[in-house]
PDB file of all heavy atoms in Angstrom:
ATOM      1  N   PRO A  97      86.367-151.945  -2.071  1.00 96.00           N
ATOM      2  CA  PRO A  97      87.778-152.317  -1.918  1.00 96.00           C
ATOM      3  C   PRO A  97      87.942-153.825  -1.762  1.00 96.00           C
ATOM      4  O   PRO A  97      86.956-154.550  -1.548  1.00 96.00           O
ATOM      5  CB  PRO A  97      88.187-151.584  -0.637  1.00 96.00           C
ATOM      6  CG  PRO A  97      86.917-151.502   0.148  1.00 96.00           C
ATOM      7  CD  PRO A  97      85.822-151.294  -0.869  1.00 96.00           C
ATOM      8  N   PRO A  98      89.171-154.318  -1.838  1.00 95.00           N
ATOM      9  CA  PRO A  98      89.400-155.748  -1.616  1.00 95.00           C
ATOM     10  C   PRO A  98      89.208-156.099  -0.145  1.00 95.00           C
ATOM     11  O   PRO A  98      89.259-155.221   0.724  1.00 95.00           O
ATOM     12  CB  PRO A  98      90.860-155.942  -2.046  1.00 95.00           C
ATOM     13  CG  PRO A  98      91.496-154.612  -1.781  1.00 95.00           C
ATOM     14  CD  PRO A  98      90.432-153.595  -2.113  1.00 95.00           C
ATOM     15  N   VAL A  99      88.980-157.365   0.126  1.00 95.00           N
ATOM     16  CA  VAL A  99      88.895-157.822   1.513  1.00 95.00           C
ATOM     17  C   VAL A  99      90.240-157.605   2.198  1.00 95.00           C
ATOM     18  O   VAL A  99      90.310-157.206   3.359  1.00 95.00           O
ATOM     19  CB  VAL A  99      88.478-159.307   1.568  1.00 95.00           C
ATOM     20  CG1 VAL A  99      88.487-159.821   3.006  1.00 95.00           C
ATOM     21  CG2 VAL A  99      87.097-159.486   0.946  1.00 95.00           C
ATOM     22  N   PHE A 100      91.316-157.854   1.464  1.00 91.00           N
ATOM     23  CA  PHE A 100      92.667-157.569   1.954  1.00 91.00           C
ATOM     24  C   PHE A 100      93.505-157.093   0.783  1.00 91.00           C
ATOM     25  O   PHE A 100      93.493-157.708  -0.281  1.00 91.00           O
ATOM     26  CB  PHE A 100      93.306-158.812   2.579  1.00 91.00           C
ATOM     27  CG  PHE A 100      94.767-158.631   2.923  1.00 91.00           C
ATOM     28  CD1 PHE A 100      95.147-157.780   3.947  1.00 91.00           C
ATOM     29  CD2 PHE A 100      95.754-159.288   2.201  1.00 91.00           C
ATOM     30  CE1 PHE A 100      96.487-157.586   4.253  1.00 91.00           C
ATOM     31  CE2 PHE A 100      97.096-159.108   2.505  1.00 91.00           C
ATOM     32  CZ  PHE A 100      97.460-158.252   3.537  1.00 91.00           C
ATOM     33  N   ASP A 101      94.220-155.987   0.976  1.00 88.00           N
ATOM     34  CA  ASP A 101      95.054-155.419  -0.083  1.00 88.00           C
ATOM     35  C   ASP A 101      96.481-155.933   0.062  1.00 88.00           C
ATOM     36  O   ASP A 101      97.242-155.453   0.896  1.00 88.00           O
ATOM     37  CB  ASP A 101      95.029-153.892  -0.009  1.00 88.00           C
ATOM     38  CG  ASP A 101      95.752-153.250  -1.189  1.00 88.00           C
ATOM     39  OD1 ASP A 101      96.378-153.987  -1.977  1.00 88.00           O
ATOM     40  OD2 ASP A 101      95.679-152.017  -1.325  1.00 88.00           O
ATOM     41  N   SER A 102      96.826-156.906  -0.760  1.00 78.00           N
ATOM     42  CA  SER A 102      98.160-157.505  -0.688  1.00 78.00           C
ATOM     43  C   SER A 102      99.214-156.665  -1.396  1.00 78.00           C
ATOM     44  O   SER A 102     100.402-156.995  -1.349  1.00 78.00           O
ATOM     45  CB  SER A 102      98.133-158.907  -1.305  1.00 78.00           C
ATOM     46  OG  SER A 102      97.717-158.848  -2.663  1.00 78.00           O
ATOM     47  N   LEU A 103      98.794-155.577  -2.053  1.00 72.00           N
ATOM     48  CA  LEU A 103      99.738-154.750  -2.801  1.00 72.00           C
ATOM     49  C   LEU A 103     100.231-153.542  -2.011  1.00 72.00           C
ATOM     50  O   LEU A 103     100.985-152.731  -2.540  1.00 72.00           O
ATOM     51  CB  LEU A 103      99.088-154.262  -4.106  1.00 72.00           C
ATOM     52  CG  LEU A 103      98.679-155.337  -5.113  1.00 72.00           C
ATOM     53  CD1 LEU A 103      98.059-154.694  -6.344  1.00 72.00           C
ATOM     54  CD2 LEU A 103      99.873-156.195  -5.510  1.00 72.00           C
ATOM     55  N   THR A 104      99.820-153.410  -0.759  1.00 75.00           N
ATOM     56  CA  THR A 104     100.230-152.260   0.044  1.00 75.00           C
ATOM     57  C   THR A 104     101.748-152.194   0.152  1.00 75.00           C
ATOM     58  O   THR A 104     102.409-153.186   0.475  1.00 75.00           O
ATOM     59  CB  THR A 104      99.629-152.346   1.459  1.00 75.00           C
ATOM     60  OG1 THR A 104      98.209-152.434   1.349  1.00 75.00           O
ATOM     61  CG2 THR A 104      99.994-151.119   2.282  1.00 75.00           C
ATOM     62  N   GLU A 105     102.292-151.016  -0.107  1.00 70.00           N
ATOM     63  CA  GLU A 105     103.745-150.846  -0.064  1.00 70.00           C
ATOM     64  C   GLU A 105     104.268-151.103   1.344  1.00 70.00           C
ATOM     65  O   GLU A 105     103.724-150.617   2.331  1.00 70.00           O
ATOM     66  CB  GLU A 105     104.110-149.425  -0.504  1.00 70.00           C
ATOM     67  CG  GLU A 105     105.605-149.197  -0.641  1.00 70.00           C
ATOM     68  CD  GLU A 105     105.934-147.819  -1.181  1.00 70.00           C
ATOM     69  OE1 GLU A 105     104.995-147.098  -1.579  1.00 70.00           O
ATOM     70  OE2 GLU A 105     107.128-147.475  -1.204  1.00 70.00           O
ATOM     71  N   GLY A 106     105.339-151.895   1.435  1.00 71.00           N
ATOM     72  CA  GLY A 106     105.938-152.193   2.724  1.00 71.00           C
ATOM     73  C   GLY A 106     105.207-153.254   3.516  1.00 71.00           C
ATOM     74  O   GLY A 106     105.517-153.477   4.691  1.00 71.00           O
ATOM     75  N   SER A 107     104.240-153.934   2.892  1.00 79.00           N
ATOM     76  CA  SER A 107     103.486-154.963   3.598  1.00 79.00           C
ATOM     77  C   SER A 107     104.342-156.198   3.840  1.00 79.00           C
ATOM     78  O   SER A 107     105.385-156.397   3.206  1.00 79.00           O
ATOM     79  CB  SER A 107     102.244-155.355   2.788  1.00 79.00           C
ATOM     80  OG  SER A 107     102.623-156.064   1.617  1.00 79.00           O
ATOM     81  N   PHE A 108     103.884-157.041   4.766  1.00 85.00           N
ATOM     82  CA  PHE A 108     104.620-158.270   5.068  1.00 85.00           C
ATOM     83  C   PHE A 108     104.754-159.138   3.822  1.00 85.00           C
ATOM     84  O   PHE A 108     105.749-159.853   3.656  1.00 85.00           O
ATOM     85  CB  PHE A 108     103.913-159.049   6.180  1.00 85.00           C
ATOM     86  CG  PHE A 108     102.670-159.775   5.726  1.00 85.00           C
ATOM     87  CD1 PHE A 108     102.736-161.063   5.213  1.00 85.00           C
ATOM     88  CD2 PHE A 108     101.434-159.158   5.794  1.00 85.00           C
ATOM     89  CE1 PHE A 108     101.598-161.724   4.781  1.00 85.00           C
ATOM     90  CE2 PHE A 108     100.291-159.806   5.366  1.00 85.00           C
ATOM     91  CZ  PHE A 108     100.373-161.094   4.860  1.00 85.00           C
ATOM     92  N   LEU A 109     103.769-159.064   2.923  1.00 81.00           N
ATOM     93  CA  LEU A 109     103.823-159.889   1.720  1.00 81.00           C
ATOM     94  C   LEU A 109     104.957-159.436   0.806  1.00 81.00           C
ATOM     95  O   LEU A 109     105.723-160.265   0.292  1.00 81.00           O
ATOM     96  CB  LEU A 109     102.487-159.827   0.981  1.00 81.00           C
ATOM     97  CG  LEU A 109     102.385-160.708  -0.266  1.00 81.00           C
ATOM     98  CD1 LEU A 109     102.560-162.177   0.085  1.00 81.00           C
ATOM     99  CD2 LEU A 109     101.056-160.488  -0.976  1.00 81.00           C
ATOM    100  N   ASN A 110     105.078-158.128   0.608  1.00 83.00           N
ATOM    101  CA  ASN A 110     106.164-157.621  -0.237  1.00 83.00           C
ATOM    102  C   ASN A 110     107.528-157.938   0.362  1.00 83.00           C
ATOM    103  O   ASN A 110     108.464-158.311  -0.350  1.00 83.00           O
ATOM    104  CB  ASN A 110     106.012-156.109  -0.429  1.00 83.00           C
ATOM    105  CG  ASN A 110     104.848-155.754  -1.335  1.00 83.00           C
ATOM    106  OD1 ASN A 110     104.419-156.566  -2.135  1.00 83.00           O
ATOM    107  ND2 ASN A 110     104.331-154.546  -1.196  1.00 83.00           N
ATOM    108  N   ILE A 111     107.632-157.789   1.681  1.00 89.00           N
ATOM    109  CA  ILE A 111     108.894-158.098   2.357  1.00 89.00           C
ATOM    110  C   ILE A 111     109.206-159.587   2.233  1.00 89.00           C
ATOM    111  O   ILE A 111     110.342-159.986   1.948  1.00 89.00           O
ATOM    112  CB  ILE A 111     108.824-157.675   3.837  1.00 89.00           C
ATOM    113  CG1 ILE A 111     108.704-156.152   3.940  1.00 89.00           C
ATOM    114  CG2 ILE A 111     110.044-158.173   4.604  1.00 89.00           C
ATOM    115  CD1 ILE A 111     108.430-155.645   5.340  1.00 89.00           C
TER     116      ILE A 111
END
Side-chain angles (χ1 to χ4, degrees):
V99 176
F100 172 69
D101 187 353
S102 59
L103 297 180
T104 303
E105 186 176 353
S107 70
F108 76 88
L109 183 61
N110 288 337
I111 294 172

